[in-house]
Amino acid sequence: MKDVITIKEIARQLNVSPSTVSRALQNHPRISSHTRDAVHALAGQLKYLPSTTARNLQRGRTGVIGMVLPEIRENFFSEVINGVEELAFEHHMTVALYQSHDRFDREKQILTMLASNRVDGVLLSVAKETQQIHHIQELQDRQIPLVLFDRIPPHIAAHQVECNMEKGAYEATKWLARRGHRRIALLNGPHALIASEERYRGYITALVEEGLPVENCLIKRSDLTTSETVLKMSQLLSSVTRPDAVLAFNDYVALDAMRVCRSYGLVVNRDVAFVSFANLPLNTYLEHPPLASVEQHPYQIGFMAADILLKVINGKIDPENLQKVTLEPELIVREQSELV
């Protein structure tokens, strides 16, 4: 590899000081036009690139945003990343991406590492195992700007960006009820996720308003793995009070549950109707996708979370003036639902 061209090398060849070269590259008025032109010409000839790291360190920054999320393979989080990177790129910031893989210990280790590396700020969506928040509070105690998104633990004072999952579950359940379904099951996520509790509240409210009974046997919680989803869906189908519709935590859970239905000889969306969350693009390629899916606007969540974080980093938002953005969900109904 070729040696990296530095300001010192340009200064050596022109027989001037490094500070003179630095000022010339910034077109400082105290540098003569002759010296400025010579510096720019040699810098171009040597293909000199200014060190962003050095410039950031002079300002007491690293130019890096740490982003911690459960799983990049989930389309939802991939879209969140797109939103974050779009704005970070405009601001010449680097995004350091880490996956917790839904493990509390890994999430804790990542936050400690980001703090020790003195990143300029952190975007965090917590793991499903996370039930304690002391590691998040330690980050805040170090005065590292933090924005929580999507999976947000309760009882924590921090900037937040989310989608209204309670309203999404409410509208999805009402939609099923108004199509004549009377035994609507909820295939939910783990207790530790506040998003699970939001879905539960919206589901219960809609059932009560529609005059439908709230039956505990129709409410199942999964750790969101395929094996657990298969187990809980099998329990629902083996019950004497089998559901005629299912509201699933997300499209991935719905697809696993629909596979169980087929193994029981049932016709998906005729014998058991499905509605879920996430509105995955792959649903457009499926012969029998969920009848409807709640759009959570992941790109916008990422963009807005990055916007808040960058404003805090640049002093445009007081760190104590906590921002909370809640996007409105949209129930996306697919055309085939009219045929069921």
Side-chain angles (χ1 to χ4, degrees):
M1 293 179 64
K2 292 183 178 180
D3 292 337
V4 176
I5 301 301
T6 66
I7 284 178
K8 289 183 178 180
E9 176 59 23
I10 296 173
R12 186 189 67 79
Q13 293 194 29
L14 292 177
N15 197 28
V16 297
S17 68
S19 60
T20 296
V21 173
S22 177
R23 292 191 183 99
L25 290 171
Q26 298 177 54
N27 297 318
H28 195 285
R30 291 181 59 185
I31 304 299
S32 68
S33 59
H34 173 76
T35 301
R36 184 175 66 247
D37 292 345
V39 168
H40 279 282
L42 183 57
Q45 179 184 335
L46 297 177
K47 295 181 171 54
Y48 165 77
L49 289 174
S51 171
T52 302
T53 300
R55 188 166 58 244
N56 284 330
L57 289 175
Q58 288 176 350
R59 298 186 299 166
R61 296 183 182 177
T62 61
V64 177
I65 293 172
M67 185 174 185
V68 188
L69 47 77
E71 293 283 354
I72 192 175
R73 65 183 176 183
E74 289 192 21
N75 182 265
F76 174 87
F77 290 114
S78 295
E79 283 299 306
V80 173
I81 293 169
N82 285 339
V84 170
E85 287 192 331
E86 180 71 24
L87 197 59
F89 183 79
E90 291 180 13
H91 287 76
H92 309 287
M93 298 288 285
T94 298
V95 179
L97 179 62
Y98 295 87
Q99 301 177 82
S100 67
H101 296 301
D102 269 326
R103 288 167 39 200
F104 169 73
D105 60 338
R106 185 179 174 92
E107 176 180 289
K108 182 179 177 182
Q109 182 179 357
I110 291 169
L111 291 188
T112 300
M113 182 172 57
L114 290 174
S116 65
N117 288 330
R118 301 182 183 279
V119 294
D120 291 343
V122 172
L123 298 168
L124 171 65
S125 185
V126 300
K128 67 185 178 186
E129 289 184 358
T130 299
Q131 299 187 48
Q132 304 173 25
I133 61 172
H134 61 271
H135 62 305
I136 302 175
Q137 292 172 330
E138 286 176 5
L139 195 73
Q140 294 175 304
D141 291 341
R142 294 174 181 270
Q143 298 185 326
I144 296 176
L146 169 70
V147 178
L148 300 170
F149 67 93
D150 185 50
R151 296 187 185 179
I152 300 170
H155 315 304
I156 184 169
H159 302 290
Q160 303 177 12
V161 181
E162 63 183 356
C163 185
N164 190 338
M165 292 296 91
E166 183 172 342
K167 183 176 180 181
Y170 171 84
E171 292 181 348
T173 306
K174 295 276 281 190
W175 184 81
L176 285 168
R178 290 171 179 175
R179 287 175 57 83
H181 297 287
R182 290 295 173 264
R183 300 192 55 76
I184 304 172
L186 174 63
L187 194 49
N188 207 1
H191 279 287
L193 292 182
I194 191 171
S196 299
E197 301 312 303
E198 291 170 342
R199 285 164 169 79
Y200 175 79
R201 290 196 299 268
Y203 163 80
I204 295 296
T205 301
L207 289 182
V208 171
E209 288 188 4
E210 292 296 322
L212 299 177
V214 176
E215 302 179 66
N216 289 332
C217 63
L218 291 178
I219 301 173
K220 300 292 182 182
R221 290 185 181 271
S222 162
D223 64 5
L224 305 181
T225 61
T226 295
S227 58
E228 181 95 348
T229 299
V230 169
L231 173 63
K232 297 304 173 68
M233 190 63 204
S234 297
Q235 291 174 353
L236 286 171
L237 296 181
S238 300
S239 171
V240 293
T241 54
R242 192 182 76 193
D244 59 11
V246 174
L247 173 60
F249 182 87
N250 60 28
D251 285 339
Y252 295 106
V253 171
L255 293 174
D256 285 333
M258 292 160 80
R259 184 161 56 88
V260 177
C261 284
R262 295 188 188 95
S263 72
Y264 274 71
L266 301 173
V267 177
V268 170
N269 291 333
R270 188 189 69 187
D271 298 323
V272 182
F274 282 86
V275 173
S276 57
F277 290 75
N279 189 35
L280 293 177
L282 66 84
N283 282 323
T284 60
Y285 300 98
L286 298 177
E287 184 177 358
H288 298 292
L291 295 177
S293 190
V294 177
E295 173 59 61
Q296 299 169 241
H297 309 296
Y299 180 91
Q300 290 89 333
I301 287 176
F303 191 92
M304 291 181 179
D307 183 55
I308 292 172
L309 185 64
L310 289 169
K311 285 178 178 175
V312 174
I313 291 171
N314 293 317
K316 295 181 179 179
I317 293 180
D318 188 326
E320 302 300 319
N321 181 20
L322 297 182
Q323 307 291 303
K324 182 173 181 179
V325 176
T326 302
L327 301 179
E328 291 299 301
E330 180 182 1
L331 185 65
I332 305 299
V333 179
R334 299 187 173 86
E335 292 181 5
Q336 73 152 6
S337 65
E338 299 303 320
L339 304 176
V340 179

